[in-house]
Amino acid sequence: MSLYERTVGDALSKRFETAFMPNYGVPPLALARGEGSKVWDVDGREYLDLIGGIAVSSLGHAHPALVEAVSKQVATIAHTSNLFLHEPEVLLAERLLDLLAAPARVFFTNSGTEANEAALKLAVKYGKTNGRTYFVAAENSFHGRTLGALALTGKASIRDQFGPFPVDVRFVPYGDAEALKSAVTDKCAAVFLEPTQGEAGVVPPPEGYFKAAREICDANGALLVADEIQSAIGRTGHWFAHQHAGVLPDVLTLAKGLGGGMPIGACVGFGPAGTIFAKGDHGSTFGGNPVSAAAALAVLDTIEKDGLLEHVRTVGAQLADGIAATDHPLLAGVRGDGLWLGLMLTGDRSAPFQAAAQEAGFLVNALQPGVVRLAPPLVITSDQIATFVAALPAILDEAADD
Ligand SMILES: Cc1ncc(COP(=O)(O)O)c(C=O)c1O
């Protein structure tokens, strides 16, 4: 039987195709379980997970600390709504504010998109009270799929058919401080930026761009919103990318790796931005629920206790160096930080690369036609990275073949 002639997986795919709206197309694999950085498909085949549920599974799969925190919490109290307080959300808020090391207030959500929706609503309110009527975001940015977050998303192919939008957003080329300066005036309520663009292809800006953005916002009284949904919680080898850039935004949004696989997001307002929302301005039935909050606490504790920031810097460099040292006509290079890398190809071969990697036992993500995203669990080992680097030339050979 060839690797693609599956049994249970094929049956699930057929059922998926008839039961689901076709938003995602049929996924190439049905996963059954995971442990650490390994996953197994429903037909029992093992893979090294180099995508981590799209930069989410920070502790890998079935990490004992996460299993224990979630199991304990679900057996204690799983849901309170925001009508009642619970200890995990208070502990988590305090823990995050501690790590952020600046006076701030937090609003918990269920996802990244919702964290950005909260940030946008907050910025709309700021704009209304200050005569500010528009927003600035970057071309090729990704901030989410609901109508507010989508309005901020600078990708015509996923945005344009859903307009007109409830907010006026002006787009500037990412990384171009002069263009940003021209776009931001005293009528701009907020600038939304990813510290490194994720969905665009793991694209870091030029050195000093984020600092320039801070200065431009300060000069015009606009809020600076840092969307760190993909980049924070250790992914780059630092807790937060803005800290690494030495810039404090007014608003910060988080999600993905924070819950280690449980759904949670956060909108953090620093200083005065933390008091723009008043009672009744925004809400969420599930946001910051006890189980997700307990999971996020376990993620933060484990990253700290196991020295994972340092580990990410070390094995991230091993992965980047291993790719950079691979000599192959299809390989153009590698960019990104820590365990968040874009492997760049010389042609639009990322889909065949993903298929070849899967066949060789590695899960990666064909992010852009010529860029493959690697965002493995933060716990991936040096030996596991070495197996991928060793397999890379053969995967590239396979991907290069028509
Ligand atoms: C930078 C950024 N913002 C927002 C989102 C949306 O987050 P979610 O898919 O959790 O709604 C994503 C998801 O990829 C993202 O990368």
Side-chain angles (χ1 to χ4, degrees):
M1 187 168 90
S2 100
L3 286 173
Y4 289 110
E5 279 172 35
R6 305 220 179 269
T7 51
V8 188
D10 281 346
L12 282 182
S13 293
K14 285 200 181 75
R15 283 161 55 193
F16 174 90
E17 211 169 358
T18 45
F20 284 72
M21 292 187 191
N23 299 52
Y24 298 111
V26 181
L29 208 57
L31 295 182
R33 69 187 179 93
E35 194 182 321
S37 297
K38 291 184 192 162
V39 290
W40 286 263
D41 71 15
V42 286
D43 294 308
R45 187 161 183 249
E46 180 183 307
Y47 303 85
L48 183 61
D49 180 6
L50 294 168
I51 188 56
I54 319 184
V56 164
S57 306
S58 35
L59 302 187
H61 303 278
H63 190 287
L66 198 70
V67 171
E68 189 188 343
V70 168
S71 314
K72 258 195 185 156
Q73 192 57 48
V74 90
T76 306
I77 186 164
H79 179 71
T80 63
S81 84
N82 291 300
L83 294 176
F84 304 100
L85 257 184
H86 55 84
E87 196 175 27
E89 70 173 342
V90 177
L91 290 175
L92 178 61
E94 288 175 350
R95 191 73 204 288
L96 275 176
L97 300 186
D98 228 39
L99 291 172
L100 287 164
R105 289 166 184 269
V106 63
F107 175 86
F108 286 122
T109 66
N110 305 290
S111 69
T113 301
E114 288 173 66
N116 283 337
E117 286 291 334
L120 180 59
K121 254 180 97 171
L122 181 156
V124 165
K125 185 170 178 193
Y126 172 75
K128 286 213 162 144
T129 44
N130 293 282
R132 294 169 180 272
T133 51
Y134 74 94
F135 301 82
V136 171
E139 290 170 7
N140 291 323
S141 61
F142 186 82
H143 297 292
R145 301 275 197 160
T146 55
L147 286 174
L150 187 60
L152 295 162
T153 290
K155 196 151 193 252
S157 59
I158 58 174
R159 176 185 199 269
D160 286 1
Q161 63 168 316
F162 295 103
F165 295 100
V167 282
D168 173 10
V169 182
R170 306 187 185 168
F171 292 97
V172 291
Y174 184 69
D176 181 341
E178 280 309 308
L180 189 61
K181 199 169 171 186
S182 308
V184 179
T185 70
D186 63 2
K187 291 278 172 266
C188 174
V191 174
F192 283 73
L193 287 176
E194 297 161 82
T196 281
Q197 285 194 321
E199 296 305 298
V202 191
V203 185
E207 187 79 25
Y209 178 63
F210 221 57
K211 266 205 171 110
R214 177 71 277 174
E215 284 162 19
I216 292 164
C217 287
D218 286 345
N220 291 280
L223 298 175
L224 177 61
V225 182
D227 178 343
E228 292 206 40
I229 282 158
Q230 194 159 157
S231 58
I233 318 295
R235 178 63 40 206
T236 64
H238 304 276
W239 282 115
F240 305 100
H242 72 269
Q243 289 178 332
H244 191 46
V247 172
L248 189 68
D250 298 293
V251 179
L252 168 72
T253 53
L254 303 169
K256 285 199 182 272
L258 177 60
M262 294 300 290
I264 188 163
C267 172
V268 178
F270 293 95
T275 55
I276 290 172
F277 273 151
K279 188 174 174 189
D281 278 350
H282 198 48
S284 165
T285 298
F286 293 116
N289 81 82
V291 181
S292 291
L297 277 166
V299 167
L300 299 180
D301 282 347
T302 305
I303 290 175
E304 190 155 62
K305 186 169 63 60
D306 293 354
L308 289 180
L309 298 183
E310 168 116 46
H311 174 75
V312 167
R313 292 196 286 270
T314 307
V315 294
Q318 179 195 348
L319 181 55
D321 292 349
I323 295 167
T326 303
D327 186 21
H328 194 282
L330 186 58
L331 186 62
V334 60
R335 65 188 173 208
D337 279 312
L339 285 173
W340 193 35
L341 299 176
L343 183 154
M344 294 175 292
L345 302 174
T346 51
D348 289 353
R349 304 293 297 166
S350 67
F353 184 101
Q354 179 183 308
Q358 182 180 311
E359 187 155 354
F362 302 94
L363 300 188
V364 302
N365 168 235
L367 178 59
Q368 292 290 332
V371 184
V372 175
R373 172 169 45 191
L374 304 173
L378 309 185
V379 297
I380 193 166
T381 65
S382 175
D383 286 351
Q384 287 171 326
I385 297 249
T387 61
F388 174 68
V389 171
L392 186 55
I395 295 170
L396 287 162
D397 279 347
E398 190 70 29
D401 276 353
D402 270 317

